[in-house]
C-alpha cells in the first residue's frame, strides 16, 4: 500500500512569508504527527492530530499551527517565517490507538529554506 | 523531562566490522524505546523497538536490549555492510495517546568497503 506522502518536497520562502505543508497519511491511519528536523536542535515534536483534533502539542511558538481534515490528511502552517524555521519537516502517520502502541510511519519530508 | 542521549558521530567502520551505537535515556516510569534509521534524502524508518525492560528488539541483523538498570538501549550489529551507512536515531515514547517521540541527536554511520 502507498506510504506517507508529503508535498511539496522542497520549498524556498523569504522571511515574513507564510507557508503551508501537506501530509497524506497511509490509508486507514487516523493519526498524523509533525516533527521539525534541524542540524542544531535535531528532531523535535510539533503536534499530533487524531480524527481532526489536536491531541498533543510540542513546545513551539503559535506561528506554527496545523489541522487535519475528515480524510485524515493534515496540513501545517508557519506564519511570519524566520530564518531559523529552515528545516526538514517530517510527518508520521499511525492508526493512533489510544494506548500508544501503533507504529508510526514517516514520510520523506518537506525541505523548507527561508531566505 | 524525558530525554535521550546517544553517542556523537560519525562512526566510521570497515565492512564486516562490529557495530555498537550507545544510547541512554532519562524518563520516569517505563517508556517504549526505538531505533530509527534515516537514509540520505529519505524520512525515518523504524528499525526496531522494545516496550519493556529486558526486551530485545531485532531486525535486519541489528539488535538492542532494553536495560532498565542502566537506562540504556544500545544498538549492535555483528557485521555491518556498506548499505548500512545512514543516520541512526534512538528515541523514546510513552505508551499513551500522544504519539510523541523524543529523539536523540542521531549518529551517522559510514561503512567503507
Amino acid at each position: 500500500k502507498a506510504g506517507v506522502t508529503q508535498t511539496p518536497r522542497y520549498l524556498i520562502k523569504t522571511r515574513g512569508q507564510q507557508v503551508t505543508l501537506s501530509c497524506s497519511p497511509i490509508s486507514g491511519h487516523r493519526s498524523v504527527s509533525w516533527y521539525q528536523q534541524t542540524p542544531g536542535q535535531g528532531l523535535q515534536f510539533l503536534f499530533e492530530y487524531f480524527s481532526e483534533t489536536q491531541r498533543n502539542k510540542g513546545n513551539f511558538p503559535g506561528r506554527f499551527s496545523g489541522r487535519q481534515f475528515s480524510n485524515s490528511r493534515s496540513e501545517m502552517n508557519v506564519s511570519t517565517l524566520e530564518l531559523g524555521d529552515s528545516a526538514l519537516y517530517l510527518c508520521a502517520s499511525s492508526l493512533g490507538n489510544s494506548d500508544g502502541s501503533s507504529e508510526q510511519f514517516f514520510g520523506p519530508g518537506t525541505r523548507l529554506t527561508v531566505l | 523531562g524525558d530525554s535521550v542521549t546517544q553517542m556523537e558521530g560519525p562512526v566510521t567502520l570497515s565492512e564486516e566490522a562490529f557495530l555498537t551505537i550507545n544510547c541512554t535515556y532519562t524518563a520516569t516510569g517505563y517508556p517504549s524505546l526505538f531505533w530509527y534509521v534515516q537514509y540520505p534524502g529519505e524520512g525515518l524508518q523504524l528499525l526496531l523497538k522494545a516496550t519493556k525492560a529486558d526486551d530485545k528488539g531485532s531486525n535486519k541483523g541489528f539488535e538492542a536490549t532494553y536495560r532498565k538498570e542502566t537506562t540504556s538501549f544500545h544498538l549492535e550489529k555483528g557485521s555491518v555492510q556498506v548499505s548500512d551507512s545512514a543516520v541512526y536515531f534512538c528515541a523514546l515514547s510513552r505508551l499513551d495517546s500522544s504519539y510523541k517521540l523524543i529523539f536523540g541527536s542521531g549518529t551517522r554511520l559510514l561503512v567503507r568497503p
Side-chain angles (χ1 to χ4, degrees), chain A:
Chain A
K1 63 185 171 183
V4 179
T5 305
Q6 291 189 246
T7 56
R9 291 294 309 277
Y10 302 91
L11 263 180
I12 299 176
K13 293 286 188 179
T14 56
R15 278 181 298 174
Q17 287 187 310
Q18 76 164 16
V19 68
T20 299
L21 313 181
S22 180
C23 173
S24 293
I26 292 170
S27 178
H29 285 191
R30 297 166 67 190
S31 167
V32 174
S33 299
W34 288 90
Y35 292 82
Q36 181 195 63
Q37 185 177 19
T38 60
Q41 300 298 316
L43 279 153
Q44 294 186 287
F45 174 81
L46 281 155
F47 28 64
E48 186 243 355
Y49 285 86
F50 179 81
S51 292
E52 302 179 66
T53 300
Q54 187 181 87
R55 266 199 310 200
N56 200 14
K57 187 178 187 303
N59 192 26
F60 278 80
R63 300 186 297 108
F64 292 81
S65 63
R67 59 178 175 167
Q68 187 180 34
F69 302 94
S70 58
N71 62 358
S72 294
R73 189 178 69 86
S74 177
E75 290 181 346
M76 67 162 282
N77 184 275
V78 188
S79 62
T80 320
L81 284 166
E82 300 177 359
L83 294 179
D85 297 332
S86 294
L88 180 67
Y89 290 87
L90 295 166
C91 81
S93 82
S94 76
L95 291 171
N97 294 343
S98 60
D99 63 359
S101 63
S102 305
E103 181 177 342
Q104 296 190 61
F105 296 84
F106 283 80
T110 293
R111 172 77 61 187
L112 172 65
T113 302
V114 181
L115 302 176

Side-chain angles (χ1 to χ4, degrees), chain B residues 96-111:
Chain B
D96 58 22
S97 62
S98 74
Y99 284 92
K100 175 181 177 180
L101 285 161
I102 296 172
F103 288 92
S105 56
T107 302
R108 182 175 299 278
L109 170 66
L110 177 61
V111 181

